[in-house]
Amino acid sequence: MIQTIRGTRDILPADIPLWQRVEEAAREAFRRYGYSEIRTPIIEKTELFTRGVGEATDIVHKEMYTFTDRNEESITLRPEATASVVRAYIQHRLYANRAPGEVTKLYYIGPMFRRERPQAGRYRQFYQIGGEVIGASDDPMIEAEVIEMLDWFLISLGIEDSQLLVNSVGDSHERGPYLEKLRESIAAVLDRLCNDCRHRYETNALRVFDCKFENCQEIIAGLPTITDAIGAESRAHFEQFKSHLDARCIAYTVNPRMVRGLDYYSRTAFEIIGGHLGAQNTLVGGGRYDGLAETIGGPPTKGFGFAFGLDRMVMSMPEAEAARVRERARPDVFLVHLGEAARNHAAFIARKLRAAGLAAGMDFTDRKMKKAMALASESGARFALIIGDNEIAAGVYALKNLETGEQQSLDVEAIIEKLKR
Ligand code: ATP
Ligand code: MG
């Protein structure tokens, strides 16, 4: 028997309503806040990520699925979508005919691929929903609006135990002197850090802060932070960002050691962590990426965005909300037919109910009453509609509430009216 590849999984029908609920809430948030959807390819030129995401990141360094195509071109399954969205923005000149300072708001939903160690909440094919605000403006109010939207989104899913962490990682030109100081401090403790951290020390020392090992975390707690080293402009930007959050009554914690996993971040970075997710507790990650467009060959462009994992968002949905969603996904009615004439008639009635917008299920096999009713219950339907020769002759059918057992004889119009209620 051939099975799924390690780190990938099938999302089965029983869980789909929860996934759809998260997607629906996200689409509604994006609609309210003026975002348009964009769909980019799952495969891209490897260069997009090596340049865009950065050689020094864990993602590019060790997590990408890369292959050589038949024409010797190097292709990668996208590990994230911000680089793709910015590429599309440049490639299609989505900035043409814009008023000065106007921004473009885009969102995406889809699978991403990273060859990480699979564990709870971490997969090799996982799903992200993300939003990007791209254009000529780097107004901190854009950042606060993004967080306000996420706040609305989380609350609409009943997720109320999350926590917002914010930081400023400064501009790339401000980081030079700080990085030297950081490297000196790391050099002193290098032999106590993990292999990955030693690699980070060589390639991009800032990324040491992102290490997940507890052992390293203790040592990292003693290192100088970027937040103390950023310049006056970045500092002012960060202060404005925080005051916009305050004005929206959005609670946050400044975490000077939160640097996010991607090379392209500058200035504001943020993370939303979930209350009951365990070790993989980062629900949402995002930040400013002003240099990214230039890195991949575009004109100077500002950008701010975020992505969240659908897998983890579904896991974070409180049980009460999940139960409500499952309840809403139940079919309205299941048709039970007794005899060949009734089978044909049931198909005809089912068509009418479906045309009226109802979810009507029906089994194709002729069965005994008891078995047919059992199937009706298993289908999850709220009602069973029983059709036999007498019902056909009378034009009224027995509609049974499968929860209360209550039964009524009604004609099709009355059935539609009752089920629609
Ligand atoms: P983490 O700290 O969990 O490794 P990350 O810093 O790699 O996350 P991003 O690259 O910013 O995260 O991706 C944003 C979000 O996508 C994460 O917060 C998480 O919810 C989700 N995510 C990232 N990698 C995975 C994965 N392998 N499996 C499931 N979800 C993931
Ligand atoms: Mg990661």
Side-chain angles (χ1 to χ4, degrees):
M1 165 46 200
I2 300 170
Q3 304 220 337
T4 46
I5 294 170
R6 191 167 136 78
T8 71
R9 60 187 180 144
D10 302 308
I11 315 296
L12 297 173
D15 284 332
I16 289 294
L18 306 180
W19 286 67
Q20 288 177 337
R21 173 71 191 108
V22 174
E23 289 169 15
E24 172 199 87
R27 287 187 195 279
E28 180 57 17
F30 288 127
R31 187 187 71 79
R32 293 187 185 198
Y33 283 81
Y35 290 68
S36 309
E37 184 174 356
I38 184 165
R39 302 189 187 190
T40 64
I42 281 168
I43 50 174
E44 295 269 6
K45 290 185 178 167
T46 301
E47 222 189 328
L48 176 67
F49 304 114
T50 49
R51 274 163 60 184
V53 178
E55 300 268 11
T57 60
D58 285 358
I59 291 179
V60 173
H61 172 57
K62 54 179 193 184
E63 296 173 358
M64 292 205 305
Y65 282 100
T66 297
F67 65 96
T68 310
D69 201 358
R70 286 164 199 265
N71 61 358
E72 301 300 312
E73 188 174 20
S74 180
I75 288 175
T76 294
L77 295 182
R78 63 180 186 193
E80 58 108 55
T82 301
S84 304
V85 171
V86 172
R87 175 200 49 67
Y89 174 86
I90 300 165
Q91 186 173 337
H92 304 286
R93 302 172 58 84
L94 298 185
Y95 48 82
N97 310 318
R98 321 243 48 189
E102 203 181 340
V103 289
T104 301
K105 295 175 173 178
L106 300 168
Y107 80 89
Y108 58 85
I109 300 182
M112 307 295 158
F113 304 84
R114 296 184 195 173
R115 201 175 188 291
E116 308 189 71
R117 194 168 71 77
Q119 48 200 296
R122 193 180 292 293
Y123 307 95
R124 290 180 172 179
Q125 174 172 339
F126 61 101
Y127 297 81
Q128 277 187 343
I129 296 185
E132 316 289 353
V133 185
I134 313 172
S137 173
D138 61 356
D139 195 318
M141 191 184 265
I142 293 171
E143 303 164 6
E145 190 196 71
V146 164
I147 290 182
E148 177 192 302
M149 174 175 75
L150 284 166
D151 195 53
W152 179 86
F153 164 78
L154 290 169
I155 287 170
S156 79
L157 288 180
I159 299 173
E160 281 167 351
D161 57 353
S162 65
Q163 203 193 338
L164 170 65
L165 306 178
V166 300
N167 193 21
S168 177
V169 294
D171 277 342
S172 50
H173 65 262
E174 292 169 356
R175 278 187 216 145
Y178 163 73
L179 284 178
E180 258 170 55
K181 205 169 89 181
L182 178 64
R183 282 173 56 86
E184 269 171 37
S185 309
I186 297 175
V189 293
L190 198 60
D191 54 337
R192 289 159 56 208
L193 292 170
C194 72
N195 278 338
D196 280 344
C197 279
R198 285 179 211 170
H199 177 81
R200 293 176 185 125
Y201 166 76
E202 298 294 340
T203 52
N204 180 354
L206 197 58
R207 308 261 318 101
V208 164
F209 286 110
D210 225 26
C211 187
K212 300 274 187 314
F213 285 117
E214 218 169 284
N215 218 358
C216 292
Q217 277 301 331
E218 281 168 28
I219 303 164
I220 289 162
L223 297 174
T225 64
I226 177 84
T227 321
D228 297 325
I230 63 176
E233 268 182 53
S234 290
R235 196 174 299 278
H237 183 100
F238 192 45
E239 290 308 317
Q240 280 183 50
F241 166 61
K242 288 187 294 179
S243 68
H244 286 311
L245 292 181
D246 293 336
R248 285 163 180 72
C249 297
I250 294 173
Y252 57 86
T253 306
V254 177
N255 179 352
R257 286 183 182 79
M258 195 259 300
V259 298
R260 302 297 310 139
L262 310 171
D263 268 6
Y264 52 58
Y265 284 130
S266 63
R267 296 194 171 179
T268 310
F270 75 97
E271 207 165 271
I272 298 176
I273 56 177
H276 57 276
L277 273 177
Q280 271 61 57
N281 68 348
T282 311
L283 267 181
V284 189
R288 176 159 290 290
Y289 49 81
D290 291 345
L292 177 59
E294 289 103 304
T295 314
I296 58 180
T301 308
K302 314 280 187 194
F304 184 80
F306 69 88
F308 67 78
L310 252 162
D311 311 69
R312 288 183 206 174
M313 203 57 83
V314 168
M315 285 164 63
S316 306
M317 211 192 282
E319 198 35 59
E321 174 69 10
R324 221 172 51 82
V325 170
R326 287 207 164 92
E327 178 64 27
R328 229 183 38 180
R330 290 170 63 181
D332 298 301
V333 61
F334 190 91
L335 286 82
V336 167
H337 45 83
L338 305 161
E340 183 57 20
R343 187 173 95 113
N344 285 323
H345 197 78
F348 170 74
I349 300 292
R351 183 180 178 179
K352 281 195 168 176
L353 299 179
R354 289 163 177 165
L358 293 163
M362 154 176 177
D363 162 44
F364 297 105
T365 309
D366 193 22
R367 299 178 202 277
K368 297 237 158 43
M369 181 71 166
K370 206 171 152 197
K371 181 69 199 164
M373 287 305 289
L375 279 184
S377 296
E378 279 166 33
S379 80
R382 281 173 244 274
F383 289 88
L385 186 65
I386 303 155
I387 304 177
D389 294 338
N390 296 342
E391 282 81 7
I392 300 173
V396 292
Y397 312 93
L399 185 67
K400 181 172 182 178
N401 183 324
L402 289 172
E403 264 143 45
T404 63
E406 179 203 357
Q407 193 166 314
Q408 269 181 301
S409 284
L410 301 168
D411 65 13
V412 174
E413 262 75 77
I415 290 165
I416 290 173
E417 198 186 310
K418 184 171 167 92
L419 292 181
K420 286 220 135 172
R421 257 192 281 124

